[in-house]
Amino acid sequence: MGDSGPDLWAHPQLIAAVTAEDWGAVFRTYRKLTGLSQTKLGERVGLVQPDVSAIERGHRRVTSVEVQQRIRSGLDIPADLSRTGALAPAQQVAQLALPGPRA
């Protein structure tokens, strides 16, 4: 129990939740399909159980790009399901670089 097989990410509810970046729905559906507890899911994505619970209930929103990346990585979400194209953190930061002297 708790393993994500290749068919997991073909589930329509997970596809819809990831595409909408509705992390509460992603957590709820993922846990329902895999049988993971909130604690175990939190361990996979680097969050503590109360934070997982708050996200699932809609009391906390995931706005941090870093946390979103940890969720995508920890749950092995396929990059093609991401609305943002799952840019690597280095690419996102590079977009914010200040112009400087050119070599």
Side-chain angles (χ1 to χ4, degrees):
M1 208 185 252
D3 293 327
S4 59
D7 296 331
L8 180 71
W9 294 106
H11 193 281
Q13 287 178 320
L14 274 178
I15 292 171
V18 171
T19 302
E21 294 185 348
D22 182 348
W23 302 113
V26 170
F27 284 3
R28 284 189 306 275
T29 306
Y30 187 91
R31 287 189 336 95
K32 179 178 145 189
L33 294 173
T34 63
L36 281 180
S37 67
Q38 289 180 340
T39 301
K40 290 294 183 187
L41 184 134
E43 289 172 3
R44 287 191 179 188
V45 299
L47 296 170
V48 293
Q49 182 275 329
D51 289 339
V52 172
S53 177
I55 292 167
E56 281 190 4
R57 292 180 293 137
H59 294 179
R60 179 176 173 201
R61 293 183 55 224
V62 178
T63 57
S64 163
V65 172
E66 186 255 333
V67 173
Q68 291 176 13
Q69 289 293 76
R70 286 193 339 234
I71 293 169
R72 287 185 181 101
S73 175
L75 300 183
D76 294 322
I77 297 174
D80 62 334
L81 291 184
S82 175
R83 193 171 21 162
T84 61
L87 294 175
Q91 292 172 313
Q92 294 167 352
V93 173
Q95 294 172 1
L96 301 176
L98 296 173
R102 302 206 190 265

